[in-house]
Every structure is written in C-alpha cells, then in structure tokens.
Amino acid sequence: MNKTILLALLLIQILVNAQFSERNLSSEKWQFKNSKENKWLTASVPGTVHLDLMDSKLIPDPYKDENEKKVQWVENEDWDYQTVFKISAKELENQNADLVFYGLDTFSEIYLNGKLLKKTDNMFRTWKIPVKDDVKIGNNILQVKFKSSVNIGKYLAKKVPFTVPESPRSFVRKAQYQFGWDWGPRLVTAGIWKDVKLNFWNQAKIENIKIEQKALTKQRADLNIYAEIYAEKEGKYVFATDKENHDIVLKNGLNKISVPFKIENPHLWQPNGWGKAIVYALKFSLKKNSETIDSKEERIGLRTVELIQEKDEKGKSFYFKVNGNAIYAKGTNWIPSDSFTPRITKEKYRKLIKDCKDANMNMIRVWGGGIYEDDEFYKACDENGILVWQDFMFAGSFYPSDETFLNNVKEEVKDQVNRLQNHPSIALWCGNNEIDEAIVNWGYQKQFKYSKEDSLQVWKDYKKVFHEVIPNAINEFATKDKSIYWESSPSIGWGHKESLTEGDSHYWGVWWGEFPFEIYNEKVPRFASEYGFQGMPSLEAVKSMFSGKSDLSLENPTIKAHEKNTRGFEIIQKYMERDYVVPKDFVKYNYVSQLLQARGMQIAIDAHHRAKPYNMGTLYWQLNDCWPVISWSSIDYLGNWKALHYQVKRSFGNQVVLTEDEGDFLNFYAVNDELIKFEEVKLEIKVLQFDGKVINDLTTVLGGKILVETLRFNHIEIKNLIKYSNKNEVFLKLTLKDKDKKIIAQNNHFFVKPKDLKLAKPNIKIKKISATEIEISTDILAKDVYLMGDTHFSDNFFDLLPKTSRKITLSKPLKNVEVMTLWDTMNEQK
C-alpha cells in the first residue's frame, strides 16, 4: 500500500474519531418488572412505572372512576428496568463514551454489564457517567433499579428529631405534587422519565454555553459567550461563532473560556402586547485541525429585565421593567399538565402557551411543587413573548439542610440554571412556593408540638437552603443579567397587612377565607402572584372521568373523587348561592359554576388593574390541570377553555374600561398597558334596558383626556345614570374611543348580582356562514351565552346585547351548535 493511500486512510480515521456522535438509548427495547418478581414486561422510555403497568393491563387508568385508590400500592414497591444495546467495533474506537440520563425518578442504582456505575437521588438532575471502559463490542446490558421514594423518604424523616409536615415528600427531590395536592391525585411515580443517551466523543467537547448581555443599545448588542469545554487532549483548538473564529488553548480537564460577540442593529425581544418576541439562533462549534469536533446552538432574545423594589409612601413597590419600561404583568400560574410527565407532548406545551398569548398574557409563574418543565415549554414562552417567573421545586413544607441534601440542591440548581438561563423568557428565579408563609402562618409548630429548639432549627434549615445555597448557586452559574432572585412566594402571608403594601402576595381570603368576591376590591397588593377560585371543567372533561357511561350528578362518587379539595363542593355552593340561582340540573350547574369562577376572577383582576401603578401584576391560580378535575384552572385537562379563560382574555386586554362601585356612585377607569398613548379619549356611556331601549345616553360628558397608563374619570351618581329605572332591569354599555372615534375598549356594567337580574327569554338565532363560522343574534339581552359542542369557539360565555349579532369561528366543523344562557338556569321549570 503506497504512502498516499495510507495517509488518506489515516485522514479518514482522524475525521471519524473527530466527530461527536450520539446514540439515543431511549429507542431501544426496554423491559421492567417488580423487583420481587422474575417476569420482565415491556416498558417505554421515557416513561413511568404507572404507564407501563397500565400498558400491561396490570392496573386500571387512575384518571378513571375511583381507580386512583386502586393503584396506591405502586408507590411502595421497587422497580427494575433494563435494556440490551449493541456496540460496534467502530463505535468503540472513539476515545470517550458518556452514558447520560436526563431524568431518573428518583432513587436508583445504574448497572452496566453487571457493574454498579452510579446511585442517584434527584429527579431534577442530569446524570452523566463515563463508560468507555465498561461498554463492550456486541450486546451490553443496562439496568436501572429504582427504590421506593416513599419508603426512602420515610426512612430519612425518622432521622429528624421532630415531625416534618408533609413527610415524606420534603425529604425526596422529586415532583412534590405527585404526593397529592388539592387539585391533583396521589400518584408517586418511578422510572426513566427523560431520555437516555450514549455520547461518543474525541479530543474535546462543549459542556455548556451561557450568554451574557453586557450592553444593549439601538445600534448594538454586546455579548459575552462563556463556554465550558472538557478536553481529553490538551493543545490548540478553535472556538467558532457564526461570526468569527477564536484560537484557544485547552488543558486536560474542564476549561472555561470567554469570547466577545456583537450584534449590530439588534431587534429587541418584546413581551406579548408590546411587539414581536424576536429570537436569535446563535451557532457555536469547536474545531481541531480545521475539523468540527462538537457544536451547539443557543436561542436567545435581546432584552433587559429588572425587578424594581423602591420604598414609597404606601410601602415598597414590586414590579418588573422590561427593556427599560415598567410592565404590568398579566398572567397565571402553571402546574405540570399531566401527573405522568413523559406524556406531555410538544404540541400540548405549544397549545397551552399559545392559549396564554391569545388571552393577552405576558407572564406565567412555574409553580414550585411541580417540575422544571421541558425545553419545549420555555421555547414556546420565548416565541410567544411570555415572561417566566421560575420557582425552584420546593413547596409548602419544611426542608432539611444536612450536607448531603444541600449538595444535592446545589447540583440541581446548577443543572437547571445552566439549562434554562439563555431563554429570554426567564425573568425571575424564586426559591420556593409558600414555605416562608408555612413556617410563620400555618401553625405546624403548635400542631406537632415543636420545642423552641425545633422551631429555631426549621428557620436555620430554611435560611441555609433559600438564603444561602440557592442564591449562591445562581450567582455562581448564571450570568449577572440572569440572576434576579426572590427567596419565597409570597414574601409575606395573606393575613398580614404588609402583604398588601410590599412584595408579592398570595391572597386567599376568597376561597379559603370564604370572604365574598367583593373583598378583592379592598385587598389589593403590589403584585398578586396567586389568588383563585374553583370551577367545573367542561362537560367533555367530566365525562372523561368515567371508563363508561354514567349519570352526571354531584353525588356521583367518581365526580366526588375528582374534587380533591375536601370542602370544594361546599365552598362552591356557598358562593353560588350568594351570586346565582343554583340549578338542579347537572349541565346547568356545570355552566353556572364556570360563570361563578369567571365572575370572581374578573372582580379580582379588575380591582388589581384599576390600582395600576400601585399594583403592577396579577397572576391568577391556575392555568391548567394535570388530570380531569374540578379545580382552579382556566383550561381543563382536555385543553378546553373554561368560562374563566374567555373572561381573562377580555380582562387582560391591552386597553380596558372599568367601573368601580362606591355605593351611590360609580367610578370609571381607562387602563392602557401598551407603550403608546391615546390623546383626547372619550368615554361613551349608554344606559340600556334588557330589550335594548336607551334610557340615558352620556356620550360627551367624560372626554378630552390623555390616556397613558391609568385614567380615572369623574364619578357619576347612579340615580342620575339610570334615572327612574330599577337596577335589575338596566345595564351600562361603555365604549372608550380615541380622538378619531376609533373604539379602544368596551365593557358592560350590571348593577346587581346575576341572580337578581330580571331577565327575559332571548330569541337566539344561529346562522351558518361556513363550515367553521357562525353568526349568532338575539332580540333582547342574552346574558352569558354558552355555545356547546365538540369544538373550540373563538368566543364563548359572552353577553350578546339586544338587537346585535356576533360572528364566531370554530376550530373544526360542527353539525349542530347548542346554546344556553343565564335565563335558562333561572327558569328550569319554565
């Protein structure tokens, strides 16, 4: 063989060895079994043991009937998983092979060809194991043996000299909601819940890239690219961006480099409602001898985010500035959208975030009792202009602070901060959900008879985790522009007056305190990060609770089992009696419960919005469900919009016109959340009877104002508004117009509660325009029009004014559209 051929073959071998390659072991044939048994069954990876048991027909679907009770034994067992994968001689020629588990739930032992490689103890960490010396040509057996998280949690809890609330969940680093919540089932899972990969590499690899925004002007964005590179072979390399090459010298082991990067004439990433959420895709590669040996792509947005807390005459502000402008945060709280997280699809993430955008939201809080969501969630938020308030996964309990636990938490924070920080949607890191409040307000110390020393230890543990370990890890692993940290949400419990004058607030005087909805008008915080009220899901979601056909009734044991709050139906009933005629028919009850929920949240949102800029954020509880359930969500488990979500879309408009009832007087407000101003706005007020007759027309009284943020018009005495009419027979039609008479916002105001309205039966007509568009009209007021059918309506649960029509689009054709109004619920016998 001549030298030319030899050199060519050698060059080919170098090129082969230079490339980074990846094997997805998730796609191999996996098996699982109870560790006590010998029979292996088919498994899916990513997955959970409950899903595998369901696929093998060994347990019923816990979402159906009362089956949740029948599967509780699963959490107490140990489970083994295994697969066999082949390695070729060519693959083994690579210098390195890393086995990477992106998610193991939770306590496991990893074996390769019979050798114990690693023990794991955290659902939220990535586990990377070098296995070049452990894999072999041909068949390799990979086993993961899971221990019961419940049993290990109980064992760890016994080591603490006092009773820790919510034991054993606070001792295990896994999704806390799996242990049961007042909207979710107890389904404590185990399994390989994220992908497993075998990565081959040579010479060096890029471990991580983080991007710091140093300066941002209209002309230029100055960035620093920080790369962590692990080198097997020291020497000269090239780190390349898509703009230029940088010569670097790497030593053996971990290297940290920094290179500048500039973007000329940058486009800003703007939150929803302010403009486009522009995302840049930046590509990076590592080269050796002109050949690429590894590469990465990061998607970023150019924006600034600040949390502003300044003392004022009423307390201390709490608001966000985005790109130098104060933003009114409008949004919701997110829980995991399934109790079995591996079946949350990319499509489901994208639909739910698009639903947020369509409802005019600009912020979503990822609640601390769930999971750090999949990359697809954050990508969807990036692309839709949704800011993310990111809790760390600690919620409503006391947590230990022994060295093992603290080290585990630090590594968890490192993994998640490294993974998420480049997303432009990330606005805030928050230490936990309601733990400060739990220690101060919830009376656990008295309940469990803590000594003074025990109580002091709880505070020491709390401060160690949330005032030291987590913020220190953020400062270590996040760039300076991505390190805003807030220790606990809320900062002060809702029973304390300071909760309304500073920090963020979880106000639960409505629901838990059973105060009427109108209390929201008095209890207005600086930033409302949680508040809510329950409503029934769609009829389709209710029917999905059953494995077969069943009578729909509040007394049905299955429906009762899908209300996880012990007093849920009782509280809903109490509020419904205050505001509505309570229907006997289940379908009508379902409808009215949704109206009730929407009404309560509208009162809260409007109160917060009117108080701008004192209040600068309103995030209701909650967006979504993890199974079919009666809950606080605005979108049910099947993805159907409840009445609340339609109302939120209206209430979160960038411009709204609002009323405030002060007994004998009405105040009128216009609120503008955009960065533009409106000159010479005019508020038109028409007083109408339910048949459409105009009683009073005030079209020129309130005008000539400039609307920048919040505009309060002169109040008007109610008796002068409605003249000699009865309050229960008239309503206000409010229209806000600009100087060119263009409509900016509209709203309707009713003077009495829904149950007291003197409604007549509307004559509603539905005209089919096309397969996916209808026109609905009425002769008199049709209150709370409810369109029913297996499709998504562009609007629903709306008031159709007398002698008007509205066009509605359907997500898919529907042969027949049924309709219901509030009148139907008040006249069941008629």
Side-chain angles (χ1 to χ4, degrees), residues 681-800:
V681 296
K682 180 172 67 176
L683 177 60
E684 296 182 355
I685 304 173
K686 288 187 178 181
V687 185
L688 283 79
Q689 290 181 342
F690 296 162
D691 63 3
K693 182 180 179 182
V694 178
I695 300 300
N696 200 355
D697 190 348
L698 304 173
T699 59
T700 58
V701 173
L702 306 178
K705 306 278 189 177
I706 297 175
L707 175 58
V708 180
E709 287 190 335
T710 307
L711 177 59
R712 177 171 174 170
F713 295 98
N714 296 330
H715 66 251
I716 300 177
E717 195 168 6
I718 292 175
K719 67 180 182 181
N720 291 334
L721 265 175
I722 66 174
K723 296 186 175 179
Y724 302 105
S725 304
N726 293 321
K727 287 184 179 181
N728 61 355
E729 295 178 336
V730 295
F731 68 100
L732 302 185
K733 179 185 176 184
L734 308 174
T735 306
L736 188 69
K737 294 183 178 180
D738 65 13
K739 64 178 181 179
D740 298 321
K741 298 183 179 181
K742 180 182 177 182
I743 295 175
I744 302 170
Q746 290 182 302
N747 200 1
N748 304 317
H749 174 86
F750 292 86
F751 294 94
V752 297
K753 291 183 175 183
K755 70 177 182 181
D756 297 322
L757 293 171
K758 194 174 180 181
L759 298 174
K761 183 179 181 179
N763 179 24
I764 293 175
K765 294 180 180 179
I766 296 178
K767 177 184 176 183
K768 186 176 180 180
I769 298 174
S770 70
T772 56
E773 187 176 20
I774 60 173
E775 184 176 48
I776 180 169
S777 61
T778 182
D779 56 343
I780 63 174
L781 174 69
K783 187 84 175 77
D784 299 315
V785 172
Y786 175 31
L787 302 172
M788 293 177 281
D790 183 23
T791 189
H792 175 75
F793 298 97
S794 59
D795 200 5
N796 211 342
F797 302 94
F798 54 85
D799 294 337
L800 191 59

